[in-house]
Amino acid sequence: MNDWGSGLRYQRLISILAILSGSFALSAHPHTFIDYSAKVIIDRGGFRKIEFGWLFDEYFTESIVMDYDMDHSGVFEGAEIKAIYDEAFINVGCYNYFLALTLDEKPVTIDTTMNFSAEIQGDRMLYRFTVSLPETSAKQLTIMSYDPTFFVFLEMKSLDDLTMEHPQGMKCDVLTDERSIEFEMYGELPVKEYIIILGSSHE
Amino acid sequence: MNRFRLVSFLILITMSCSLIAQNPFFSGGGKRDTSRTIEMPGRQQESDGKASIVAMCKYKLTAIQRDLRDALYQQKERAGSLAGKLYALLLVFIYGFIHALGPGHGKVFISTFSLSSGIKTMRAVLGGALVGMLHGIAALLLVVLLRLILKLPVTRSSELIRSHVEVVAFVILLIIGIVLLIRSIGAKYHEHSRASFWGLVLSIGLVPCPGAVMITLYGFSVLQNPVFTVVMVLTMGMGMSLAISLFALVPSLLRNAGFLANRNVWKGLSIGGAILIILFSSLYLIALL
């Protein structure tokens, strides 16, 4: 009995170690950091699209510049942007562009993006792209952005990075919340959620 | 000689298989790799409660990593002076330590082996340290190979190779787990094979650390100082070594605390450890393939 008791104790210990070590992946995460911004476009019918900006860290920027600024001009031009789109952006669609969006609590799947651009701003690179939202009369939009594999860490640095463009006379409130998300193999982490509500009490 | 053959075999396998990418930006080859589409959890799938203390700690570790990387990048102006270099080395050492404390680096394999086998504490610690150094050296060699010799795009190619090596490493870990299990079932009270341990260390260590790849690129491209780049990557490797060694040391000390005098407990632990290694490597392979 004693043996079994000790054995179980050690099994538990192994489990705890497994959890403490975070995962069984062979390379630690995250490796890329993005400060993201969002501009929500609203018309009389409701939420229409969101223009996102991803400002990458200096290291990822350096690696992309090295590989894609072929003429070393310090500016990404036509063919270079196309190559970046094809080789270093489009696949993020497999991860819903790191976006968990809902309209009146219903999840939004993003099939494609529009107006992709990549530019260098000092030591950092900025991707811009636009996401169209399905035409609904939804009154509430929620935005969370994270990479479920935790390879990339996305963060909105300040609430100033979330802006709204809406017709005159229309009001909207922005609330923030923090949700606990289960990441693939890395367990739970807190993620900021932004809730935009149309037709608030201010209206 | 047998040990040498086994290690050589593992290295050969590690270096020669098909490519699977993990960096979400770089797989797909010019189109969406829909075979690997991952559903973003919607709001309805999230837990209701607030983040736990563990989650907040992981978040903090991530924030610290970012601050360290930022501080290191800002050092580019001062990297010509001795003080600037020393400060940069301090930053990469701490970054390596914190980076390896976070998820990954195969710590669970090292811990499990260290706890469930009869391997000596010093050897377990050295193994952990070797994993950290190898992670850095593999990254350095990868960048040199791609950038200086093959003249290939570094980011995309290194991700492809790294993830390829990672898949192969998990296959090797799976094989090691099976070998350990077979031996444990019929074993008397004795050490697991040293060759298995060093095979495990090599298969984990040969996966280049993307963090070290970035530091290497920073050194070569931004600082444009190859010698200092090598020193930085080795210093980062030392930081990773310290963290991974702790994950080898603690279970080993616990194991030697005297609980395992009983042969049946020992055998149960050995079998349990082998099963865990099989389980972890299989799960990860399933997730990757």
Side-chain angles (χ1 to χ4, degrees):
Chain A
M1 284 298 285
N2 260 350
D3 293 350
W4 275 108
S6 301
L8 284 174
R9 223 168 30 230
Y10 275 94
Q11 282 170 11
R12 282 191 199 127
L13 188 59
I14 291 173
S15 307
I16 290 166
L17 281 168
I19 293 163
L20 283 179
S21 51
S23 80
F24 35 90
L26 299 186
S27 53
H29 292 65
H31 294 112
T32 302
F33 293 84
I34 294 175
D35 294 334
Y36 80 95
S37 61
K39 182 178 179 182
V40 181
I41 311 292
I42 306 160
D43 66 16
R44 292 281 172 203
F47 300 105
R48 286 299 163 254
K49 57 187 178 181
I50 312 174
E51 295 169 1
F52 284 100
W54 287 353
L55 191 59
F56 289 87
D57 67 76
E58 294 89 344
Y59 298 89
F60 187 81
T61 299
E62 186 60 37
S63 62
I64 294 289
V65 168
M66 191 190 299
D67 287 351
Y68 293 96
D69 183 17
M70 305 309 281
D71 56 2
H72 309 290
S73 63
V75 179
F76 292 133
E77 287 143 327
E80 294 167 346
I81 294 172
K82 173 78 168 62
I84 292 171
Y85 177 79
D86 285 342
E87 297 174 12
F89 177 70
I90 198 169
N91 198 64
V92 185
C94 296
Y95 306 82
N96 213 40
Y97 299 93
F98 302 148
L99 290 168
L101 305 178
T102 68
L103 281 166
D104 281 352
E105 303 282 328
K106 293 187 185 116
V108 176
T109 302
I110 301 161
D111 294 323
T112 188
T113 61
M114 301 177 298
N115 309 326
F116 175 82
S117 71
E119 61 188 84
I120 301 166
Q121 293 191 345
D123 291 331
R124 303 179 68 179
M125 175 178 65
L126 177 69
Y127 279 4
R128 291 182 204 270
F129 60 95
T130 303
V131 168
S132 286
L133 297 171
E135 292 209 5
T136 68
S137 54
K139 294 294 179 196
Q140 180 180 299
L141 166 71
T142 66
I143 303 172
M144 279 196 297
S145 190
Y146 59 92
D147 171 10
T149 68
F150 204 45
F151 194 98
V152 183
F153 182 78
L154 296 104
E155 193 173 37
M156 193 179 274
K157 279 288 186 189
S158 105
L159 208 50
D160 294 340
D161 294 320
L162 176 61
T163 53
M164 249 68 64
E165 184 181 296
H166 53 75
Q168 276 195 336
M170 183 181 274
K171 299 280 186 187
C172 58
D173 282 341
V174 178
L175 307 173
T176 59
D177 197 3
E178 195 169 83
R179 298 199 150 260
S180 182
I181 300 289
E182 195 70 23
F183 284 73
E184 272 186 6
M185 297 181 198
Y186 300 104
E188 172 203 9
L189 280 170
V191 175
K192 275 261 168 63
E193 179 183 48
Y194 300 90
I195 306 155
I196 299 122
I197 304 167
L198 291 183
S200 72
S201 55
H202 301 294
E203 195 167 8
Chain B
M1 191 60 191
N2 282 340
R3 207 174 302 152
F4 176 72
R5 273 191 203 150
L6 176 63
V7 169
S8 308
F9 177 62
L10 293 176
I11 292 173
L12 278 175
I13 293 178
T14 304
M15 303 308 279
S16 60
C17 274
S18 62
L19 306 177
I20 296 168
Q22 270 187 290
N23 182 328
F25 289 101
F26 290 104
S27 49
K31 56 182 180 182
R32 261 200 215 185
D33 179 8
T34 49
S35 65
R36 297 179 62 75
T37 297
I38 291 179
E39 295 223 352
M40 289 289 282
R43 241 185 137 197
Q44 72 283 359
Q45 290 175 15
E46 295 146 24
S47 58
D48 294 330
K50 292 287 180 190
S52 67
I53 291 172
V54 174
M56 290 310 296
C57 287
K58 283 195 272 185
Y59 182 84
K60 280 284 174 203
L61 277 179
T62 302
I64 292 169
Q65 280 188 64
R66 179 175 190 158
D67 290 345
L68 286 166
R69 284 162 52 124
D70 287 350
L72 179 65
Y73 198 87
Q74 299 312 317
Q75 280 299 302
K76 67 177 181 174
E77 311 296 344
R78 296 182 58 220
S81 69
L82 179 63
K85 283 192 175 74
L86 290 174
Y87 187 56
L89 291 179
L90 177 67
L91 290 172
V92 287
F93 179 82
I94 299 171
Y95 174 60
F97 180 74
I98 302 277
H99 188 63
L101 272 187
H105 284 283
K107 294 188 295 295
V108 72
F109 289 101
I110 296 284
S111 300
T112 304
F113 197 102
S114 181
L115 183 65
S116 64
S117 76
I119 196 155
K120 290 187 172 68
T121 301
M122 186 51 71
R123 192 168 293 141
V125 169
L126 280 175
L130 189 59
V131 167
M133 292 306 290
L134 282 174
H135 269 319
I137 292 167
L140 188 64
L141 292 177
L142 186 64
V143 174
V144 169
L145 177 76
L146 291 172
R147 179 124 177 100
L148 303 182
I149 299 173
L150 299 177
K151 313 277 186 202
L152 287 171
V154 174
T155 315
R156 185 178 172 77
S157 308
S158 66
E159 273 308 316
L160 288 168
I161 291 173
R162 186 193 64 77
S163 49
H164 151 58
V165 173
E166 196 170 48
V167 170
V168 179
F170 277 112
V171 172
I172 294 171
L173 289 170
L174 179 61
I175 293 168
I176 290 173
I178 293 168
V179 170
L180 291 179
L181 181 62
I182 292 167
R183 285 189 182 171
S184 299
I185 288 169
K188 302 187 289 280
Y189 179 89
H190 76 296
E191 245 187 46
H192 272 317
S193 158
R194 280 184 211 168
S196 298
F197 180 66
W198 294 118
L200 180 129
V201 165
L202 279 177
S203 52
I204 297 170
L206 285 175
V207 177
C209 169
V213 168
M214 288 200 171
I215 298 297
T216 309
L217 290 175
Y218 166 71
F220 280 144
S221 300
V222 179
L223 301 183
Q224 299 190 332
N225 187 336
V227 175
F228 187 60
T229 301
V230 172
V231 177
M232 269 199 310
V233 174
L234 293 179
T235 307
M236 183 183 170
M238 286 162 63
M240 291 193 285
S241 293
L242 180 62
I244 299 169
S245 293
L246 287 176
F247 278 83
L249 175 67
V250 174
S252 187
L253 290 178
L254 286 171
R255 191 196 63 223
N256 292 331
F259 301 116
L260 297 176
N262 186 292
R263 187 176 293 182
N264 290 333
V265 174
W266 182 266
K267 190 166 181 172
L269 199 58
S270 299
I271 292 171
I275 290 172
L276 272 181
I277 289 174
I278 292 170
L279 188 68
F280 288 150
S281 46
S282 305
L283 282 174
Y284 205 86
L285 275 173
I286 289 166
L288 284 175
L289 297 173

